[in-house]
Amino acid sequence: MVLTGAEIVVRCLQEEKVEYVFGYPGGAVLFLYDELFKQDAVRHVLVRHEQAAVHAADGYARTTDRVGVALVTSGPGATNAVTGIATAYMDSIPLVIISGQVPTAAIGLDAFQEVDTVGITRPCVKHNFLVKDVRDIAETIKKAFHIARTGRPGPVLVDIPKDVSAQRCEFAYPKSVSIRSYNPVLKGHSGQVRKAVQLLLEAKRPMIYTGGGVILSDAAAKLTRLARLLDFPVTNTLMGLGGFPASDRQFVGMLGMHGTYEANMAMHYCDVLLAVGARFDDRVIGNTAHFTQEPRRIVHVDIDPSSISKRVKVDVPIVGDVGEVLDEMIAVLEAERARPDAAALADWWRQVEQWRSRDSLGFRNSDEIIKPQFVVSKLWELMGDELIVTTDVGQHQMWAAQYCRFDQPRRWATSGGLGTMGFGLPAAMGAQFAHPDKPVACITGEGSIQMCIQELSTCKQYRLPLKVLSLNNRYLGMVRQWQEIFHGNRYSESYMDSLPDFAKLAEAYGHIGLQVTRPGDVEGALREAFARKNDLVFIDFQIDPTENVYPMIQGGKGLNEMILSSEDL
């Protein structure tokens, strides 16, 4: 079967069972768009900015176990996509991005809309390809999907010159692919697994610390099984929320800079730590030198060997897929029928419960002004764990993480590693395409939403019934909080004194817009929004502009040096 390069690309997407391609057309990809037009197996979603195309593919991938796909043109199309690519790279999200390129003869000649896409994206992709021969397209795309979804997932970019998409060759899609230099280890070393289990059984003050790797390997049920066998406290990172049921007694909340008191104290004072699919990043453990001063033995399970002992030296490293290794650990525990020291564990739980009694997420509600914590708590009370939540980045992101109590994985999509404002709305679009029958809410702020607000047009075109909840405090809230605490209340460029009327702006895009200014109207507005199952509803909550996110840990401080409220400053 002789096909053009563009036809081959589309056939490859069909072979990979791709449902949606999020993209924006341009000269270098018009042959590809022409072929997409001729078929209906792969649906294209027209975004309004290439950054949003990648974020939407990212939201689709995070809320499913599938690879997200984006399509952009050369030059500014590719450079606009870089922020989305870097966002996915930092959070290990499997994406394939297909970018157009100028004709091969024009590469390097400063042609119209030419950039070195491979060079620009190299630091923020798992891998990338420049395809110079039409005969290489099928194998390259097969490799791209394989690399994106296996091992530690990540974005893979395929750059295709315009002339290559027009050339012809015989088409055959490979059934499998072999890459000599790329063979991720899946099974954990049996000796290390046994050593880890023995260490866990000897623990007097144990802790299980889990990250996004549990979600990405679909290992939440296995983690829950292991945790219940051991009866250890469990904490999740921001990226790991939903990996262990938040309603479970053993869950002590999110840890880190804005984590709970009990999670951070248990993490700091444990004597044996099981780290699963997490990377000990700076927002989680605070000051590394401070963290490592406290004596503890660490078991670290991760599919990426470069993540192990990168920031914190561990005692028992186990390289392997999180799900596979958890299966192996459970099998060893069940075969030996051994359990930890019950008396020591009971003492440890008494200490954890004492820390938990501080109620570090408690807040003072108001009858006069809307508190953001109240909005998120009320949202969760009304909608529960059926809700899929995306966020932008800032104070609202932390309040969402603290007060949404996820019992299931893949209900939460937020930019963790890169902290990308503008992520929330397009990610919610991707999640809604993936789950058309589920409620999807984007929790955002008045600063973040304006980064990609043009995607309200995309939502109108495709009739996406998202609920956008803006916690509007008229400031770049997290910037203002840090300026208040660390910069003497000098609010340099953090005050948003020229904001639009978001309710009217949403209406201008053809959606329902609501503005809520009184606490007594919060529940009613939420009920009305979610009752409109076929409409996008934008709710602009005018919240307390002075409210800060607590608890918090200052940069350079340890996990046991938390600020629980403004009174601790």
Side-chain angles (χ1 to χ4, degrees):
M1 187 185 302
V2 177
L3 302 176
T4 67
E7 289 174 313
I8 290 170
V9 170
V10 174
R11 286 293 298 272
C12 290
L13 297 178
Q14 292 172 351
E15 291 286 340
E16 289 290 341
K17 303 293 190 294
V18 172
E19 288 184 299
Y20 296 101
V21 172
F22 301 90
Y24 201 94
V29 288
L30 285 184
F31 288 123
L32 292 172
Y33 272 88
D34 198 35
E35 295 307 322
L36 284 170
F37 183 83
K38 296 174 184 176
Q39 56 82 59
D40 56 11
V42 179
R43 186 178 176 191
H44 182 272
V45 177
L46 176 66
V47 297
R48 301 312 191 255
H49 192 285
E50 290 89 353
Q51 177 181 342
V54 185
H55 288 331
D58 185 322
Y60 176 91
R62 288 185 201 237
T63 57
T64 66
D65 59 355
R66 306 188 66 181
V67 177
V69 180
L71 173 59
V72 299
T73 194
S74 64
T79 56
N80 281 346
V82 169
T83 298
I85 295 170
T87 300
Y89 179 71
M90 288 288 281
D91 291 343
S92 304
I93 306 303
L95 302 182
V96 170
I97 302 95
I98 298 171
S99 59
Q101 185 53 273
V102 300
T104 51
I107 292 176
L109 300 180
D110 294 331
F112 177 68
Q113 290 196 329
E114 180 194 1
V115 297
D116 178 8
T117 303
V118 167
I120 287 171
T121 60
R122 184 172 288 120
C124 60
V125 293
K126 188 175 178 183
H127 197 65
N128 57 21
F129 300 90
L130 172 61
V131 184
K132 292 187 176 181
D133 190 324
V134 67
R135 293 170 294 184
D136 295 333
I137 289 177
E139 184 178 8
T140 300
I141 291 180
K142 182 71 175 180
K143 287 180 178 179
F145 276 89
H146 175 68
I147 293 170
R149 67 164 62 97
T150 57
R152 179 177 181 173
V156 179
L157 180 132
V158 181
D159 201 30
I160 303 177
K162 186 171 184 178
D163 60 320
V164 174
S165 67
Q167 294 166 1
R168 292 178 172 271
C169 74
E170 288 192 0
F171 170 70
Y173 198 61
K175 287 184 169 55
S176 61
V177 65
S178 176
I179 304 172
R180 185 176 61 181
S181 60
Y182 177 72
N183 292 290
V185 175
L186 299 180
K187 292 279 188 183
H189 186 282
S190 60
Q192 292 293 89
V193 170
R194 289 187 174 279
K195 191 183 296 184
V197 170
Q198 187 58 43
L199 201 57
L200 296 175
L201 293 174
E202 294 171 1
K204 306 297 184 187
R205 303 186 308 279
M207 184 71 171
I208 299 177
Y209 149 57
T210 75
V214 171
I215 310 292
L216 293 167
S217 63
D218 293 317
K222 297 172 183 179
L223 170 66
T224 302
R225 171 70 176 149
L226 178 69
R228 288 180 176 155
L229 280 172
L230 295 168
D231 193 31
F232 289 178
V234 181
T235 183
N236 294 153
T237 65
L238 179 71
M239 300 308 303
L241 294 176
F244 187 82
S247 61
D248 194 285
R249 175 192 68 87
Q250 290 175 243
F251 185 63
V252 293
M254 182 179 74
L255 82 164
M257 178 172 280
H258 295 292
T260 66
Y261 183 68
E262 56 268 30
N264 283 336
M265 295 297 279
M267 180 80 165
H268 189 76
Y269 289 109
C270 68
D271 68 343
V272 174
L273 176 64
L274 171 60
V276 185
R279 55 191 181 90
F280 292 91
D281 72 273
D282 56 301
R283 289 293 178 106
V284 166
I285 63 167
N287 187 318
T288 306
H290 193 290
F291 181 75
T292 54
Q293 283 177 358
E294 196 69 29
R296 69 177 67 78
R297 292 176 292 177
I298 300 174
V299 177
H300 192 178
V301 180
D302 204 290
I303 198 163
D304 180 6
S306 72
S307 290
I308 296 178
S309 290
K310 178 187 282 186
R311 301 195 72 242
V312 173
K313 189 178 185 303
V314 305
D315 300 274
V316 184
I318 304 176
V319 177
D321 175 76
V322 164
E324 297 270 5
V325 175
L326 290 177
D327 273 339
E328 294 162 16
M329 295 177 78
I330 291 168
V332 171
L333 273 172
E334 291 181 334
E336 296 185 358
R337 297 186 179 180
R339 294 295 180 269
D341 183 326
L345 194 55
D347 287 342
W348 176 233
W349 269 113
R350 277 190 285 273
Q351 174 63 77
V352 171
E353 293 300 339
Q354 184 178 332
W355 288 324
R356 182 144 49 188
S357 69
R358 295 286 296 271
D359 189 19
S360 59
L361 296 184
F363 64 95
R364 295 176 183 170
N365 205 10
S366 168
D367 294 328
E368 305 297 326
I369 191 166
I370 297 174
K371 294 293 184 178
Q373 305 95 322
F374 174 68
V375 176
V376 180
S377 299
K378 185 58 68 174
L379 169 70
W380 197 253
E381 176 188 320
L382 294 176
M383 299 307 299
D385 206 36
E386 279 303 297
L387 186 66
I388 294 173
V389 177
T390 73
T391 79
D392 277 295
V393 170
Q395 288 180 313
H396 64 270
Q397 178 190 31
M398 294 299 105
W399 286 316
Q402 290 173 335
Y403 295 97
C404 289
R405 305 282 293 171
F406 299 98
D407 276 346
Q408 301 177 58
R410 299 195 183 276
R411 296 287 196 272
W412 168 248
T414 194
S415 172
L418 198 64
T420 306
M421 295 172 70
F423 174 83
L425 179 57
M429 290 169 10
Q432 191 74 83
F433 276 111
H435 304 278
D437 298 325
K438 286 190 177 295
V440 178
C442 168
I443 299 177
T444 185
E446 78 291 335
S448 284
I449 191 62
Q450 294 189 87
M451 294 281 185
C452 282
I453 200 166
Q454 74 284 337
E455 297 311 312
L456 287 175
S457 179
T458 305
C459 294
K460 180 63 176 177
Q461 179 176 346
Y462 296 97
R463 298 180 175 86
L464 299 178
L466 305 175
K467 313 308 173 201
V468 181
L469 282 57
S470 173
L471 303 183
N472 184 348
N473 58 11
R474 283 80 76 196
Y475 280 100
L476 299 178
M478 192 61 84
V479 173
R480 183 206 56 76
Q481 177 169 336
W482 282 55
Q483 288 173 334
E484 175 187 323
I485 297 172
F486 305 119
H487 299 280
N489 297 304
R490 293 182 295 277
Y491 301 129
S492 176
E493 305 303 324
S494 59
Y495 178 62
M496 307 285 282
D497 58 355
S498 56
L499 291 170
D501 183 324
F502 286 105
K504 290 182 178 177
L505 185 57
E507 291 172 357
Y509 275 104
H511 303 299
I512 307 297
L514 304 173
Q515 186 181 89
V516 181
T517 59
R518 298 183 304 177
D521 295 333
V522 168
E523 180 173 344
L526 289 170
R527 287 187 181 278
E528 178 183 349
F530 283 95
R532 293 180 173 272
K533 296 188 182 298
N534 298 318
D535 298 318
L536 185 150
V537 182
F538 191 117
I539 314 178
D540 183 30
F541 291 102
Q542 302 279 310
I543 66 167
D544 184 349
T546 67
E547 193 71 17
N548 287 337
V549 180
Y550 294 111
M552 73 171 291
I553 300 171
Q554 298 182 49
K557 298 293 186 179
L559 288 176
N560 63 338
E561 298 176 292
M562 298 183 68
I563 301 171
L564 298 184
S565 70
S566 59
E567 297 171 1
D568 291 340
L569 292 170

